Amino acid sequence: MKLHLKVWRQKDKNDKGRMVSYEANNVNEHMSFLEMLDVVNDDLIKKGDDPIAFDHDCREGICGSCSMVINGVPHGPEKGTTTCQLHMRKFKDGDTVVIEPWRAKAFPVTKDLVVDRSAFDRIIQAGGYVNVNTGGAPDGNALPIPKVDADLAMDAATCIGCGACVAACKNASAMLFVSAKVSHLALLPQGVVEKKERVRKMVKAMDKEGFGNCTNQYECEAACPKEISVNFITRLNKEYISS
């Protein structure tokens, strides 16, 4: 395939940035989206041009670092898929593909498609942990947990912190991310003790970072590569009010 790319290029956080057009030639339908960008970058390097900067690590849909907006959709057109797991068979020969970074005040662009998502790290540091005594690990079956709670906690824990929810929301809200982190701990015995303090600290940190609030339009759930439910936002609000 041959694709026409329009890519956001920005030298650094102080640069105004602009869209630049490129041609992606000899694209195999079995390539991942990032592999396609690797090929484009190889051509740019051969020409002596600066390659397109983008985040990536595991390339297995686990780390959440492959954050980019593809044709207006965080992570691209395939539901429940990260950019690194998106394959080029989702596009057609001759398609125009627009590639941009996350757009949120709390996620400043550092270069091209790379944004600073350390705001999420600071929210987790504020309360996304449990304090436990050191020593031998207790038996996993010593604390029976209802299957409903265990399943919900696991659903929330699938959040990879990619920030697609923020990029999709018109308010750049981080409510889905925070609600997932709060919920997966509050649902389990180990996290119940500190749940009131945790939710207060994490919501305060979220507000301090400049994320917007939720207006219940569900773009976050639609864009989430792990398909985390907005019902966790309801749980977050409940935990916060009761704290």
Side-chain angles (χ1 to χ4, degrees), residues 129-130 184-196 198:
Y129 54 85
V130 295
H184 94 260
L185 292 173
L187 282 161
L188 300 176
Q190 295 88 341
V192 169
V193 177
E194 298 171 290
K195 70 175 186 177
K196 291 186 178 181
R198 177 184 303 111

Side-chain angles (χ1 to χ4, degrees), residues 46-61:
K46 289 176 183 177
K47 296 176 182 177
D49 295 333
D50 191 25
I52 301 165
F54 59 92
D55 265 335
H56 64 94
D57 191 1
C58 73
R59 298 202 178 196
E60 294 179 349

Side-chain angles (χ1 to χ4, degrees), residues 6 32 50 83 96 121-122 128 141 168 219:
K6 293 185 177 180
S32 73
D50 191 25
T83 300
T96 296
D121 296 330
R122 290 187 288 273
N141 296 319
E219 296 100 329

Side-chain angles (χ1 to χ4, degrees), residues 12-218:
D12 53 45
K13 63 180 180 180
N14 298 316
D15 184 32
K16 186 177 180 180
R18 69 196 189 284
M19 299 299 294
V20 178
S21 296
Y22 298 100
E23 298 296 324
N25 299 305
N26 300 317
V27 176
N28 189 298
E29 65 175 5
H30 301 300
M31 286 180 176
S32 73
F33 198 86
L34 297 190
E35 288 171 336
M36 179 274 294
L37 287 179
D38 288 338
V39 172
V40 173
N41 277 343
D42 285 344
D43 290 340
L44 291 176
I45 292 170
K46 289 176 183 177
K47 296 176 182 177
D49 295 333
D50 191 25
I52 301 165
F54 59 92
D55 265 335
H56 64 94
D57 191 1
C58 73
R59 298 202 178 196
E60 294 179 349
I62 298 171
C63 71
S65 62
C66 58
S67 306
M68 58 186 75
V69 177
I70 303 167
N71 287 345
V73 181
H75 288 301
E78 188 170 4
K79 186 175 176 60
T81 304
T82 54
T83 300
C84 64
Q85 295 287 285
L86 176 67
H87 287 85
M88 299 313 298
R89 52 181 169 268
K90 290 293 178 180
F91 302 91
K92 297 178 182 179
D93 183 38
D95 276 357
T96 296
V97 183
V98 181
I99 312 170
E100 302 173 83
W102 286 171
R103 301 290 189 180
K105 181 180 179 181
F107 289 159
V109 177
T110 57
K111 184 174 181 179
D112 296 341
L113 305 175
V114 181
V115 300
D116 180 357
R117 294 178 299 147
S118 59
F120 272 9
D121 296 330
R122 290 187 288 273
I123 293 173
I124 293 176
Q125 290 166 4
Y129 54 85
V130 295
N131 289 308
V132 294
N133 295 327
T134 57
D139 188 297
N141 296 319
L143 293 172
I145 301 169
K147 187 176 187 304
V148 173
D149 291 343
D151 287 347
L152 283 173
M154 183 60 71
D155 289 345
T158 59
C159 173
I160 57 177
C162 68
C165 51
V166 176
C169 179
K170 67 179 183 180
N171 303 323
S173 173
M175 291 283 280
L176 189 64
F177 165 77
V178 176
S179 68
K181 298 303 177 184
V182 165
S183 296
H184 94 260
L185 292 173
L187 282 161
L188 300 176
Q190 295 88 341
V192 169
V193 177
E194 298 171 290
K195 70 175 186 177
K196 291 186 178 181
E197 181 182 6
R198 177 184 303 111
V199 71
R200 287 196 299 266
K201 286 183 176 180
M202 294 185 76
V203 169
K204 182 179 179 180
M206 175 183 68
D207 292 341
K208 183 179 178 181
E209 294 295 339
F211 292 104
N213 208 343
C214 174
T215 47
N216 299 313
Q217 293 189 338
Y218 300 176

